[in-house]
Amino acid sequence: ALGKGTELEKAFATVALVYNNSTDPEGKLSKSETKTLLQTQFGSFIQGQENKPKYQEIISALDEESENKIDFEDFMILLVSLTLMSDLLQEIKNVKTTK
């Protein structure tokens, strides 16, 4: 859909597609499905974060037995939160690219 889009537009389109391809017919993910999706598709960002209190808080919320499902807005907030605390983000920020 965004073959000619910018890198940032393509990145967000990819997030939306990955999310949509994983959801139930209502367009939502269970908490366990969300956790699995993060582990399989976002592993480089969450790797090594296990000892951070905020990470533990987020993951424990996904482990709770609950009927609550995650919609796309909540998924994006979760993704951004995990990205901001990630050690990988700090490494990426330290890399300067030239074009």
Side-chain angles (χ1 to χ4, degrees), residues 56-88:
Q56 291 173 350
E57 179 184 324
I58 289 170
I59 296 304
S60 67
L62 293 177
D63 285 336
E64 290 175 4
E65 288 297 322
S66 175
E67 293 298 315
N68 293 343
K69 292 194 173 187
I70 306 289
D71 63 15
F72 185 69
E73 182 178 318
D74 290 336
F75 182 74
M76 288 300 294
I77 292 168
L78 181 64
L79 214 53
V80 170
S81 298
L82 290 170
T83 301
L84 289 174
M85 78 173 78
S86 174
D87 296 331
L88 180 58

Side-chain angles (χ1 to χ4, degrees), residues 24-43:
D24 65 16
E26 296 175 354
K28 294 183 179 186
L29 289 172
S30 71
K31 288 183 175 185
S32 64
E33 290 168 331
T34 301
K35 186 176 178 182
T36 299
L37 183 62
L38 290 172
Q39 290 170 335
T40 59
Q41 294 289 321
F42 210 59

